Amino acid sequence: MTTRRSRLAVTAKSSDRIVLEALATELLGACIATLKTHGLSAGKLVELAARASAKQTSRKSAFSSVLAEAECLANLLNKWMENPKYRDATGRPAVLSLGKGAGRSFTALAREFFPAWSVVDVLAFGAKTRVIERIGRDKVAMINSTVLFTGNAPLILAHLVRSVRRLLGTGNFNRRAGSELLEGLPDRTSIVAVSDEEFREFVKFIRPQVSDWIEMSNRWLFQRSQSTKNKARNKREAGLQIFVFRD
Amino acid sequence: MGRNGKAALARAAMSAVEPLVELFLELGVTSPEAESLLRSVFVHKARQWLANSSVTTADPSDVRVSLVTGVHRNFVRRILAEPPGIAAAREQKGHPAGRVLEAWHSDPKYLDSSGKPRDLSEKDQEPSFHTLVLEHLPGASPGMVLAELHRAGLVQLLSEHRLRVRNRSFRMQGINPGNINEMGAQARELLETLTHNLRRPDAPRFCDSTRSIEIDAGRLPIIRDLIARRTGTFLTAIEQELTMLAGSVRSRRAGKRIRVGLTAVETER
């Protein structure tokens, strides 16, 4: 009986191993296929994979530096959106002046979040990422609250790497979490086969809601992080990421 | 009546109708809508007039009403089938400026990254309101359209010649018969739901509220804007979801139909 049990355990372990290796191959294959579209050859990718597996990858890695500027801009927009001082009489982010005086101005925000940059460079970066636009010669308006990477391959790749890392982190957390329903981090998927036209309609339908969820999540986290009682505590970044996909 | 007599009558009628036309303009009633309304009243009144002047008790025929009104008998039948009002076909056409509002809410060029209509520059910066009007209401003067939309309370003028759209469809804001009617309908719906829930706690309709939260009065614009945007998105989504569900059920089995809706209301005290 004991022999039979141990045989079953060995079979189960080896079957788990096969599944694990198949999934690992699939994950690596998906990453390799994407990286190839960015111009990396198969040989180079093998070399990079060997280098990556030889050392422990740090939390602060290449994507951090690539995305650092985008994050500074996101933080600038956050303050513009969330700080009542930067809102107009209608409750929306105000049109700001480019004046050098003290008080509410785009210049003050640019200096706070991009201390090493000139205001002109911050303006150009904001316009390139389609979050701000110039109003006449000396004013600027926020036109989007989200920094867009669309069309910018290096930023998109850096964003992808960070997204994958976050997704894997959530997966790891849930792997270790207990079996209680509310112990894991929420990770939900909706998936149905649809035509191209239906997919376009779906994107149109879901876009405002995705934006609202992100805005709500951001506001909650931002306001909570600003509270004085939380300032001294050891903090790690947390958030919500939503994306539409099509296989 | 002779030609001169008709001309004199037309002048007198014009004087009488002019204040009414002014009122229509103020209320956003278009000329086709007003013409449809007049035709409907004309036909209904003609039938009553013929009935009163007839020696028999029988209702005048559609053909007879058609003869005295000059309206084709098929239209007479259709008009008399309903109380006097604006024909649905005319009403659906709506105000021409409605096309500008619709485009502002749906043309990707005029939306922000969240798919909502963005604030526009009046004309200096693209995408501008000026271009929006030229593209979607060719032949109309952007300045006139803006004045009309602003008068109706549908576009908000911001600083730096920037504009914000406030509604997707053309409808006059403020105290007017249409809005008072709408207010009555909404109040009735709310009371019906509350009364239903009192009577049928076993099968309640959804009715829930947030806890009232005290805020600094100076932050009211931010809160109002937040509620408007968040709830607007939610209502649009639930409307689409209900429409899809209604469509799929209709195709399977026909039966008693009930109109279902959801209303969200901000409260302030």
Side-chain angles (χ1 to χ4, degrees):
Chain A
M1 195 67 184
T2 313
T3 318
R4 188 177 153 76
R5 252 188 215 153
S6 59
R7 258 191 217 148
L8 279 173
V10 169
T11 315
K13 269 190 177 173
S14 96
S15 142
D16 283 354
R17 190 96 203 147
I18 291 167
V19 171
L20 181 65
E21 285 176 8
L23 290 172
T25 309
E26 196 174 334
L27 175 62
L28 291 170
C31 292
I32 287 167
T34 300
L35 290 169
K36 277 184 178 171
T37 66
H38 284 264
L40 290 166
S41 68
K44 187 70 188 171
L45 285 168
V46 169
E47 183 195 322
L48 292 174
R51 205 189 299 170
S53 71
K55 66 172 184 181
Q56 191 80 22
T57 50
S58 67
R59 181 166 284 277
K60 277 263 178 216
S61 60
F63 66 75
S64 301
S65 57
V66 177
L67 290 175
E69 292 163 358
E71 275 180 357
C72 288
L73 188 56
N75 291 336
L76 182 155
L77 297 174
N78 247 346
K79 182 160 185 181
W80 195 346
M81 282 210 26
E82 298 298 333
N83 190 324
K85 193 172 101 175
Y86 283 92
R87 296 235 177 192
D88 65 15
T90 69
R92 301 260 182 107
V95 170
L96 297 179
S97 85
L98 291 170
K100 289 176 183 169
R104 182 179 92 172
S105 73
F106 183 81
T107 311
L109 284 177
R111 281 186 186 145
E112 182 180 344
F113 293 98
F114 292 88
W117 288 35
S118 73
V119 177
V120 175
D121 287 343
V122 180
L123 280 170
F125 184 47
K128 192 178 158 195
T129 48
R130 286 174 276 173
V131 292
I132 58 171
E133 72 179 7
R134 289 285 286 268
I135 309 289
R137 290 171 60 106
D138 57 356
K139 298 243 163 95
V140 60
M142 186 194 294
I143 52 170
N144 283 306
S145 57
T146 313
V147 182
L148 299 174
F149 301 147
T150 40
N152 188 327
L155 277 180
I156 288 277
L157 184 58
H159 176 65
L160 266 180
V161 172
R162 188 166 58 171
S163 304
V164 168
R165 192 190 276 268
R166 285 170 180 162
L167 191 60
L168 293 176
T170 297
N172 267 339
F173 182 91
N174 288 346
R175 184 166 59 121
R176 295 192 190 104
S179 56
E180 289 298 318
L181 283 177
L182 301 180
E183 277 187 32
L185 296 175
D187 178 9
R188 307 282 182 271
T189 309
S190 97
I191 177 164
V192 177
V194 289
S195 68
D196 286 354
E197 193 188 340
E198 286 162 336
F199 179 68
R200 277 194 296 274
E201 276 179 36
F202 171 68
V203 173
K204 203 169 148 191
F205 161 73
I206 211 74
R207 189 188 298 278
Q209 289 163 80
V210 167
S211 294
D212 269 16
W213 276 106
I214 293 296
E215 203 178 297
M216 279 164 66
S217 161
N218 199 48
R219 177 159 293 140
W220 195 100
L221 293 166
F222 182 82
Q223 297 292 344
R224 189 57 70 91
S225 75
Q226 298 296 299
S227 76
T228 45
K229 66 175 180 181
N230 281 338
K231 278 201 169 160
R233 292 184 188 168
N234 182 26
K235 292 180 183 177
R236 279 169 59 192
E237 285 185 338
L240 173 74
Q241 185 164 348
I242 312 175
F243 59 92
V244 172
F245 66 87
R246 194 168 193 203
D247 284 342
Chain B
M1 189 185 293
R3 202 171 179 174
N4 289 343
K6 270 198 173 177
L9 181 64
R11 279 196 299 276
M14 207 165 70
S15 304
V17 165
E18 264 175 4
L20 189 62
V21 171
E22 259 184 46
L23 181 66
F24 282 161
L25 286 169
E26 210 168 293
L27 299 180
V29 177
T30 62
S31 176
E33 284 176 331
E35 287 162 28
S36 159
L37 183 66
L38 178 64
R39 174 177 289 192
S40 171
V41 172
F42 208 106
V43 169
H44 277 271
K45 195 69 200 170
R47 179 172 66 172
Q48 194 189 344
W49 178 75
L50 286 170
N52 290 344
S53 55
S54 170
V55 285
T56 66
T57 52
D59 276 344
S61 68
D62 294 345
V63 177
R64 211 163 154 225
V65 175
S66 169
L67 266 175
V68 296
T69 57
V71 176
H72 192 279
R73 66 176 185 277
N74 290 348
F75 288 115
V76 166
R77 191 177 308 138
R78 208 177 297 166
I79 290 168
L80 289 177
E82 289 174 359
I86 298 168
R90 293 285 183 184
E91 205 168 16
Q92 277 164 10
K93 284 181 185 170
H95 197 284
R99 273 152 53 192
V100 172
L101 297 174
E102 179 56 34
W104 201 338
H105 280 81
S106 57
D107 187 333
K109 209 191 313 178
Y110 303 98
L111 302 178
D112 65 16
S113 62
S114 65
K116 293 173 186 167
R118 52 166 288 181
D119 293 346
L120 297 177
S121 153
E122 199 175 318
K123 62 180 168 187
D124 296 332
Q125 189 105 21
E126 291 302 333
S128 70
F129 178 81
H130 192 89
T131 312
L132 172 72
V133 174
L134 293 182
E135 282 175 353
H136 295 279
L137 201 57
S141 146
M144 300 278 261
V145 175
L146 175 58
E148 183 61 7
L149 290 176
H150 182 236
R151 188 180 65 84
L154 298 165
V155 165
Q156 188 177 5
L157 307 182
L158 306 171
S159 63
E160 316 303 328
H161 297 282
R162 292 174 72 75
L163 311 170
R164 180 171 300 157
V165 65
R166 300 176 85 168
N167 212 323
R168 190 172 190 139
S169 53
F170 193 95
R171 185 170 159 186
M172 298 297 287
Q173 309 290 300
I175 299 174
N176 61 52
N179 288 348
I180 289 171
N181 200 28
E182 178 69 20
M183 185 179 80
Q186 284 184 344
R188 189 185 64 199
E189 283 169 359
L190 176 62
L191 282 172
E192 277 174 0
T193 293
L194 293 171
T195 314
H196 170 92
N197 289 354
L198 284 176
R199 286 185 182 140
R200 297 286 313 274
D202 55 315
R205 293 174 194 164
F206 178 81
C207 185
D208 209 345
S209 337
T210 63
R211 177 170 59 87
S212 290
I213 297 162
E214 202 168 279
I215 58 150
D216 186 320
R219 301 203 74 190
L220 203 50
I222 300 176
I223 301 296
R224 282 181 180 163
D225 183 60
L226 171 71
I227 291 174
R229 285 185 301 120
R230 206 70 83 228
T231 316
T233 305
F234 171 71
L235 289 177
T236 306
I238 195 94
E239 186 181 322
Q240 289 193 34
E241 205 172 338
L242 288 175
T243 306
M244 289 178 85
L245 270 175
S248 63
V249 170
R250 175 177 261 173
S251 59
R252 283 189 200 132
R253 59 171 183 215
K256 189 184 170 192
R257 314 276 302 168
I258 294 173
R259 297 185 74 81
V260 178
L262 187 66
T263 306
V265 181
E266 179 196 340
T267 59
E268 285 175 19
R269 266 182 290 159

